[in-house]
Amino acid sequence: MKKILVTGFSGLVAPYIVDRLKESFSTYTTSRKIGDYMIDITNELNVKQMLEKLNPDIVIHCAAFTNVDLAEKETKKVI
């Protein structure tokens, strides 16, 4: 069975994607607050370790920086 990693599980879109895929695929989730892997995806080392451990076939990236005002002030965090 293919392994799918879905980022941004605490957001609005990812839970719906996981719900649709979980019957046909092994799904794994990540976010800062909830999920199978609770990590900050802006931390490169943590992401590498998670990907090496899980070795997913597919990654669906749903994580996002949603605070528009803060994104305009702190552009280095968004890029």
Side-chain angles (χ1 to χ4, degrees):
M1 185 175 287
K2 287 197 182 253
K3 292 188 279 186
I4 298 179
L5 173 66
V6 182
T7 67
F9 190 62
S10 63
L12 298 174
V13 177
Y16 292 102
I17 291 172
V18 171
D19 191 51
R20 295 288 300 228
L21 297 175
K22 67 183 178 187
E23 298 297 322
S24 303
F25 302 94
S26 294
T27 57
Y28 299 88
T29 59
T30 185
S31 79
R32 290 181 184 183
K33 300 174 186 172
I34 60 172
D36 300 307
Y37 295 90
M38 291 182 282
I39 66 165
D40 177 354
I41 64 165
T42 63
N43 183 312
E44 185 177 349
L45 179 61
N46 285 345
V47 172
K48 283 181 180 181
Q49 290 172 339
M50 176 191 60
L51 291 174
E52 287 173 1
K53 181 178 181 181
L54 182 58
N55 193 26
D57 298 296
I58 299 168
V59 176
I60 301 175
H61 182 52
C62 297
F65 196 94
T66 58
N67 185 328
V68 176
D69 294 331
L70 188 58
E72 290 177 357
K73 291 177 186 173
E74 298 191 25
T75 57
K76 291 186 183 205
K77 283 189 178 181
V78 180
I79 296 172

